[in-house]
Amino acid sequence: MISRRNFLARAGALAAGAALQNTASHAQAHRQAPAVTPLDPGTLSRYVDPLPIPEVLRSRELRANPRNPANRLPYYRVAMREVVTKLHRDLPPTRMWGFNSTSPGPVIEARSGEGILVEWANELPAHHFLPIDHTLCGAEADKPEVRSVIHLHGGRTPASDDGYPEDWVVPGKSLLYHYPNRQDAALLFYHDHTMGINRLNIYAGLQGLYIIRDQAEDALNLPRGKYEVPLLLCDRALRSDGQLDYPVSGDPKSPWVPEIYPKAMLANGKLFPYLEVEPRKYRFRMLNGSNARFFRLSIGDLQEMHLIGADQGLLSAPASAKRILLGPAERTDFVFDFSAHAGKNLLLQSDSFEILQFRVASTGSKDTSALPATLRSVARIPEGRAVKTRRLTLDEAVDKVQNSMGMTLNKTPWDMPVTEKPVVNSTEIWELVNLTEDTHPIHLHLVRFQILDRRPFDVFAYQDTGELRFYGPPAAPGVDEAGWKDTVRCERGTVTRIIVPFEPYTGRYVWHCHILEHEDNEMMRPFEVVQKA
Ligand code: C2O
Ligand code: CU
Ligand code: CU
């Protein structure tokens, strides 16, 4: 943890809008240490570093699946460690937490139906470098500062291996998880899920991509190899000494803040990188790995992107888009054709934030890849298949300690007994009634679901009478959301309905808002998939 003294200095400095001090000694801070100030990323030179492409992990060993020893599976050991990394040519190296030696971590690639074992080893230092809030549930002062547990987001994973937030381990310990990968090809990601400090652990760098492939997707002949580019985008706040800054409230006893919107946009861990491309089709697989920011992505002068996939894999057919909205934890998959842009530079932007420059060569190899007219059948689940409809609210609650806004799900704190107990292999409709002023990206573990519709309603009437009075007709999901999803944007004053087959495992999982500050402060609940009585 940051020492109390530095911590106070930081909080005070932030509150006063003054320079941050980051020094070993208080006296020194006043005399000679160079002032450490928040870094304005706009002052850095643009496009001086190549975009890093994360390494794909290779397994060198088969090991027995502990729960089924006759079954030997590819085994990976992935260590969480402190890493020191250059975010930009002109910045000093930045301390982060990563996997093996990088943040984001290496890409794990798996085949559908072929299980793997991953040993997630906590080799992190004994102290945290970001401001823990001990008033949050699960992060009390009696808990070790540094804890980790990894969850495979989007994975259809047995409950014992899903990374339950309370299953964390301390440095020196590890968790061996089995991922059966019995699911369609999709871009998933792995990330920390530790109770009460998840936002800090992920902000420190504990996330990476995980790709599942299958034959149906291979047969489509989409751009692959170096023409398929994995992109993990996230925002961070930096200081002039190159180090990560995480915003704090004015209250040193409770530094939690409700959202963060830092201004440095990292693509695969670099600030303002460039990518040299050939004038041909590329496939981009993107994750929004920000704590709270929603991206509105566009290329060049709103050039056409061909959407081919969402969170849980391919759409039924490509859809054209000029902008892609991507909430925290959402993924998008699209093909972009650079052939009309030979010899030019194009920018990937989110609103006015520049993220990545494409340098299109004037010539390249022959493009033999395809953008097929149909991709995969995504049968819509009929509403009539649902055996139960649950109405669940997203709520704002005034936090007495901080006198600020906290959020809950169905007005129920984490610690209360499990209330959502779907029966395994049954389908339910969840109506997410957003009573707050924010859009919340709501994620359910284990399952994939389809978005039925969104409908604006009268929040005040609902609060008075408990009845839904709608302002208009339901709106169908956008083309970008027409496939299988695991995270859904719930807009304010809107009821979002999703239809969810709860399969194939029983056990305890979680659902939560993927704005990590919300998730860490009570906007998370367990659910339990149960055997039919
Ligand atoms: Cu990205 Cu609970 O997960
Ligand atoms: Cu998840
Ligand atoms: Cu939220």
Side-chain angles (χ1 to χ4, degrees), residues 151 153 189 191 193 329 443 445 510 512 514 519:
H151 165 63
H153 180 125
F189 70 117
H191 62 74
H193 219 303
H443 169 54
H445 285 210
V510 298
H512 58 86
H514 223 289
E519 176 184 351

Side-chain angles (χ1 to χ4, degrees), residues 407 439-442 513-515 518 523:
M407 315 274 176
T439 300
H440 302 275
I442 298 293
C513 177
H514 223 289
I515 291 179
H518 297 179
M523 208 172 189

Side-chain angles (χ1 to χ4, degrees), residues 7 10-11 14-15 130-136 196-200 203 237 245-262 291-293 397 399 402-407 438 440 513-523:
F7 178 66
R10 271 181 52 150
L14 264 188
L130 296 173
I132 295 176
D133 187 329
H134 294 296
T135 68
L136 299 184
I197 53 170
N198 169 35
R199 72 194 182 293
L200 305 175
Y203 191 84
D245 205 6
Y246 183 90
V248 289
S249 72
D251 176 2
K253 284 206 196 66
S254 182
W256 177 84
V257 291
E259 274 119 16
I260 62 168
Y261 297 105
N291 283 31
R293 180 182 296 279
D399 183 318
Q402 288 216 2
N403 197 22
S404 69
M405 283 300 185
M407 315 274 176
D438 290 329
H440 302 275
C513 177
H514 223 289
I515 291 179
L516 303 179
E517 285 70 27
H518 297 179
E519 176 184 351
D520 260 347
N521 191 2
E522 297 294 350
M523 208 172 189

